[in-house]
Amino acid sequence: MRIRKVGVVGSGVMGGAIAALTASAGVPVVLLDIPAGADEKDRNAPVKRGLDRAMKARPAAFMDARRAALIELGNIEDDLGKLAECDWIVEAIVERLEPKQALYAKLDDLRGPETIITSNTSGIPMAQLTAGRSEGFRRHFFGTHFFNPPRYLHLLELIPTPETDPEAIAAVEWFGQRILGKGTVHAKDVPAFIGNRIGGYAMREAIRLMEELDLTIDEVDTLTGPLVGRPRSATFRTADLAGLDVMLLVSQDMARTHGSSHALPSWIEALVARGDLGEKTGAGCYKREGRGEILTLNWKTLEYGPRQEVRSPELDALRRLPLEQRLKGVTELPGAYGAFARKLATHVAHFTLSNAEEIAYDIPSIDRAMEWGWAWELGPFRQMDALGLDTLRAAFHAEGLAEPALLSQAGERFYTKDAAGTQVLGLDGVYRALAPRAGVLSLADVREAGGMVQESRSASLLDLGDGVLLLEFHTKMNAIDDDIVAALESATDIATRGGWAGLVIGNEDPQAFSAGANIALMLEAARSGNLAAIDAASRRFQQANLGLRYAPFPVVAAVAGLALGGGAEVALHADQVVAAGEAYIGLVEVGVGLIPAGGGCKELLFRFTQELQPYIEADPFEAARRAFMLIGLGTTSSSAIDARTLGFLRPADRITMNRDYLLADAKAAVLSLARDYIAPIPPTITALGRDALGNLRAAVWTMREAGQISEHDALIGNELAYVLAAGDGPPRTVREKDLLDLEREAFTRLAATEKTQQRLEHMLATGKPLRN
């Protein structure tokens, strides 16, 4: 079974977002919704509103808004037949059994013999959904539960029925993993499946404990967010994103089947009744006001007020610790905060242990569901290991909770390591080897297998096997310092002398390939007037990047998350970039009063000029203008697809939608290039000199006169223009070295200015740019 076209029925928040993700991946989509009522002339008005909502969604639902052209719109009365062309149809309509069953009856009549039909239900059992359907329908039907927002939350729960054809599951699983970039978990067909069963309980218990201990929404979100390895959305912002109406429906279903402890409090019912459903209505537990101001709900009065920042010396101290220590430390806080954290951790652990066998096939599936679907840094069993199983046993006893059988079967940990590798407790009480995930290259496994070649303060060089090395940065946000530059030099030297097949530059950091240079070191040198050190550091970084470009072996950059400033410059000098779908690439140095000086200006000008060379009638100034706009505005791609449009990625660079496969794909790219690799010949281009300089400086002057930029912005813009024009002389042939010298000299001049130093200080202090 091969999926080439996807149908989505329902253009609400989830349906529209699923369609946006699928179209972003380059797959044609048919998106249908109910027809408009008699008061609207356009029968497709509802689905058009749904697509418009997806187009305007923040965070963006599309990786590239132009991919919306791949979505064909219609309604289920006039256009249902269009779904017959689809290989996979996803139902994402209202979360009620009867409308879903009515739709399936119609789909049963038009589906092809191999058409796969799935439901995005949040928890309605599959057995109820397929009642009365044909055998062929039932064999090609199962649950595919996406998490909101689908583009950003990794989890896709697959919920087969006893009748589901394994080939249908395999087809969607492969498509979900490789094309949509999802992490898939098989869940049992029970209400709320895995993620929402545990995550929903954790949210409801946090709400109950908030009421019991008389805490506020702001306090609970502080105690259930990044402090304990959960997302910034914590409890109540997550509720708003999911939709309070959806949460209420799921909780009501759970309360009917599993008891009143799963019910939500009356004040949430009141919010839903008055139409405050969360993000989709602009108000829920939080409310957006005017110019982006966020107000917090007082759950006692149902009125909104200013958000309150929750700080204490104990909380501030905890935030600086590693996650495993934070998980323990938060339960030891004094007063209501500690009581809340202890009770919540204890009750969630007990609930997970008691429900594990009912909802999942193994412990890793539960951990992955919570890590991928609810963005917990550690799944519940890994959290229990971090807290200590004996500590949990004592906490259960203190709370009057019986010890679950699964905990009784465990030793000191659920996950253990020995010479043979990692073992995990099975739900049958037997420890087994943790099965490796196919296509996923784990650097932890490489290290455990003795793959460390060289290690320094800021970087590690690893042997990936098959003659491929990997250079990993491991500073904060993988910021580039002198030790990383030395590691780039050393990796190039080791690979050359050792005859290695090639080099991957990458990591497993969920946030950044590299967020740029360590500006604290740069500011220190600038404040002390040591401009020679700044020039020398820039020169060394430039030469390290050129070393990558002209090495006698292929270099592949595996880029995921932020690749900013110097991080982008490293990637730009690789023979090939393999980028995760969520790759945010940009030369952003203007934000701290500088311009790129690791080869970024040179690389974009050369790249864009070479792209124009086949076209005799092309205006050569376009290359300089394009580079000037990207660098001068500090443009950062919103995705890997956008990075290709902007020019940070070339047509030959590859996009891997699933970050889990990134390193393995980068290694494969090295081996593919290595078969007949020849290092590139240093190029030359014609720089336009004063002709380009005049045009670019005129643009700077216009923006300054219009009050769009400051005087210092204008100085930066003029320096950048001088570099991209290669001076103010006549057009001339330039080498890479000529541009590198110019960008380095401009960088050093700017670093010497007081206003650039102020920008550097402000960025270090606040994490935000200063426009002085």
Side-chain angles (χ1 to χ4, degrees):
M1 299 177 185
R2 184 178 177 186
I3 298 171
R4 291 157 295 192
K5 190 171 187 177
V6 174
V8 180
V9 184
S11 65
V13 171
M14 286 302 296
I18 293 167
L21 174 62
T22 307
S24 293
V27 179
V29 178
V30 174
L31 178 62
L32 305 182
D33 210 320
I34 58 172
D39 57 332
E40 291 185 283
K41 293 181 180 179
D42 187 350
R43 303 248 312 156
N44 288 340
V47 74
K48 288 180 178 177
R49 286 193 291 268
L51 179 60
D52 184 61
R53 184 188 308 112
M55 294 284 288
K56 295 177 179 177
R58 293 292 178 270
F62 284 91
M63 291 182 170
D64 183 339
R66 291 172 300 178
R67 295 286 175 98
L70 289 171
I71 300 178
E72 182 181 3
L73 304 180
N75 67 78
I76 58 175
E77 288 187 6
D78 304 330
D79 305 297
L80 200 66
K82 293 179 179 179
L83 296 176
E85 305 169 0
C86 298
D87 306 294
W88 174 26
I89 301 170
V90 183
E91 170 269 303
I93 66 172
V94 63
E95 190 69 352
R96 297 204 307 271
L97 179 61
E98 293 77 11
K100 291 179 187 290
Q101 289 179 327
L103 173 64
Y104 297 159
K106 297 176 181 177
L107 296 179
D108 204 350
D109 293 334
L110 64 82
R111 61 174 296 277
E114 299 297 317
T115 303
I116 300 168
I117 298 174
T118 69
S119 175
N120 185 55
T121 177
S122 299
I124 299 176
M126 299 299 113
Q128 295 181 28
L129 294 174
T130 57
R133 300 281 55 81
S134 68
E135 180 186 358
F137 184 101
R138 296 196 307 273
R139 287 182 60 247
H140 293 86
F141 179 86
F142 54 98
T144 49
H145 184 218
F146 291 81
F147 279 66
N148 189 33
R151 173 181 167 185
Y152 301 97
L153 287 181
H154 194 44
L155 179 63
L156 173 59
E157 287 180 316
L158 303 177
I159 308 99
T161 75
E163 297 180 88
T164 304
D165 185 344
E167 289 188 15
I169 285 278
V172 170
E173 184 156 29
W174 183 90
F175 186 86
Q177 291 172 347
R178 293 299 327 198
I179 306 303
L180 300 184
K182 311 308 291 181
T184 59
V185 164
H186 289 231
K188 291 184 178 179
D189 185 13
V190 294
F193 315 129
I194 300 176
N196 281 350
R197 175 72 73 94
I198 295 174
Y201 173 82
M203 291 181 68
R204 291 189 295 272
E205 187 63 9
I207 294 169
R208 188 190 70 79
L209 290 170
M210 175 183 73
E211 295 177 333
E212 177 183 308
L213 297 168
D214 197 24
L215 299 175
T216 67
I217 283 176
D218 286 323
E219 287 175 319
V220 169
D221 270 0
T222 297
L223 294 170
T224 59
L227 181 69
V228 290
R230 298 187 189 176
R232 292 177 61 190
S233 55
T235 296
F236 291 101
R237 175 70 178 133
T238 297
D240 278 355
L241 286 170
L244 298 183
D245 53 337
V246 173
M247 273 189 60
L248 186 59
L249 280 170
V250 172
S251 71
Q252 288 170 342
D253 287 341
M254 287 296 300
R256 280 193 293 270
T257 58
H258 286 73
S260 60
S261 63
H262 292 275
L264 286 170
S266 59
W267 60 267
I268 289 185
E269 293 181 357
L271 287 177
V272 172
R274 76 184 192 188
D276 290 341
L277 309 181
E279 180 71 15
K280 56 191 171 187
T281 61
C285 299
Y286 293 98
K287 182 179 182 180
R288 293 187 182 275
E289 287 275 295
R291 298 180 178 179
E293 183 184 3
I294 305 294
L295 304 179
T296 304
L297 180 77
N298 181 322
W299 58 270
K300 297 177 182 177
T301 66
L302 297 190
E303 296 177 350
Y304 294 94
R307 293 180 72 175
Q308 302 297 316
E309 185 177 12
V310 180
R311 301 293 297 268
S312 75
E314 295 89 353
L315 287 172
D316 291 344
L318 274 181
R319 290 185 176 101
R320 294 190 288 268
L321 298 176
L323 176 57
E324 293 197 359
Q325 294 179 36
R326 298 201 305 271
L327 288 170
K328 294 179 180 179
V330 72
T331 66
E332 298 167 357
L333 288 170
Y337 290 176
F340 174 89
R342 283 191 300 277
K343 287 176 176 288
L344 184 62
T346 300
H347 296 171
V348 170
H350 193 272
F351 181 85
T352 301
L353 289 162
S354 302
N355 284 264
E357 190 171 0
E358 179 187 350
I359 63 178
Y361 297 98
D362 52 52
I363 281 174
S365 292
I366 296 174
D367 280 340
R368 289 168 186 162
M370 299 312 298
E371 290 163 6
W372 295 345
W374 287 73
W376 292 11
E377 288 185 44
L378 291 177
F381 286 94
R382 295 188 185 277
Q383 287 187 31
M384 290 183 229
D385 279 350
L387 288 169
L389 300 194
D390 284 340
T391 299
L392 276 178
R393 292 182 178 104
F396 293 161
H397 179 74
E399 287 283 311
L401 299 171
E403 181 173 324
L406 190 58
L407 182 60
S408 300
Q409 294 166 340
E412 294 182 358
R413 301 176 61 88
F414 290 105
Y415 293 87
T416 66
K417 288 186 178 181
D418 57 27
T422 300
Q423 312 285 316
V424 61
L425 183 69
L427 297 180
D428 59 358
V430 177
Y431 282 90
R432 295 181 180 86
L434 179 64
R437 295 172 57 210
V440 177
L441 198 164
S442 164
L443 296 187
D445 290 346
V446 172
R447 289 190 186 90
E448 288 182 11
M452 185 68 70
V453 175
Q454 180 175 281
E455 188 171 22
S456 64
R457 180 184 76 247
S458 303
S460 300
L461 189 64
L462 303 172
D463 178 0
L464 299 184
D466 302 311
V468 179
L469 291 169
L470 178 135
L471 181 62
E472 175 192 26
F473 307 159
H474 42 69
T475 53
K476 183 178 180 180
M477 296 299 287
N478 302 313
I480 295 170
D481 59 13
D482 56 347
D483 190 65
I484 283 179
V485 176
L488 289 168
E489 297 166 338
S490 179
T492 304
D493 181 59
I494 289 171
T496 300
R497 289 187 293 104
W500 292 78
L503 173 68
V504 172
I505 303 175
N507 57 58
E508 294 174 317
D509 190 309
Q511 293 182 293
F513 171 79
S514 170
N518 185 330
I519 61 174
L521 298 175
M522 189 186 315
L523 177 62
E524 182 181 353
R527 282 296 191 200
S528 65
N530 194 353
L531 301 184
I534 293 174
D535 180 83
S538 299
R539 185 189 300 272
R540 187 182 182 190
F541 185 40
Q542 290 175 341
Q543 293 307 308
N545 284 333
L546 286 181
L548 300 175
R549 169 60 52 82
Y550 297 112
F553 53 81
V555 177
V556 173
V559 175
L562 299 175
L564 304 179
E569 288 174 307
V570 170
L572 288 171
H573 284 84
D575 293 288
Q576 190 176 63
V577 175
V578 179
E582 300 300 337
Y584 314 118
I585 306 173
L587 295 171
V588 297
E589 285 84 352
V590 293
V592 290
L594 298 165
I595 66 167
C601 298
K602 174 270 300 180
E603 188 61 26
L604 288 192
L605 181 64
F606 270 68
R607 181 177 293 191
F608 296 159
T609 299
Q610 290 166 337
E611 288 180 6
L612 294 175
Q613 286 174 350
Y615 307 100
I616 298 174
E617 301 299 324
D619 180 359
F621 175 66
E622 176 61 20
R625 187 201 68 81
R626 187 179 172 194
F628 182 82
M629 295 302 293
L630 276 181
I631 299 169
L633 297 177
T635 303
T636 300
S637 68
S638 58
S639 67
I641 298 167
D642 187 40
R644 178 169 282 157
T645 300
L646 294 172
F648 292 122
L649 296 182
R650 300 153 293 190
D653 293 327
R654 178 176 174 181
I655 297 174
T656 293
M657 289 289 284
N658 193 331
R659 201 252 188 265
D660 296 345
Y661 300 129
L662 186 68
L663 295 181
D665 287 352
K667 177 185 173 182
V670 165
L671 293 173
S672 177
L673 290 170
R675 285 196 290 267
D676 53 3
Y677 185 76
I678 298 175
I681 298 171
T684 61
I685 61 168
T686 299
L688 301 181
R690 66 173 64 96
D691 293 340
L693 183 61
N695 287 333
L696 295 175
R697 285 188 168 172
V700 172
W701 181 86
T702 300
M703 288 188 287
R704 177 71 183 116
E705 286 296 300
Q708 297 173 328
I709 60 175
S710 69
E711 182 179 346
H712 195 58
D713 290 328
L715 173 65
I716 298 164
N718 285 328
E719 289 280 14
L720 177 60
Y722 191 85
V723 172
L724 296 175
D728 60 358
R732 64 187 176 107
T733 299
V734 295
R735 304 162 299 166
E736 289 180 307
K737 180 183 183 303
D738 299 319
L739 266 293
L740 290 172
D741 289 345
L742 288 169
E743 68 176 38
R744 189 179 67 254
E745 291 162 5
F747 182 92
T748 304
R749 285 193 297 271
L750 288 168
T753 65
E754 178 62 26
K755 289 188 175 180
T756 284
Q757 292 169 19
Q758 290 171 356
R759 292 189 179 193
L760 289 165
E761 286 179 334
H762 191 267
M763 178 62 74
L764 287 169
T766 68
K768 298 177 181 179
L770 171 68
R771 302 307 296 267
N772 55 350

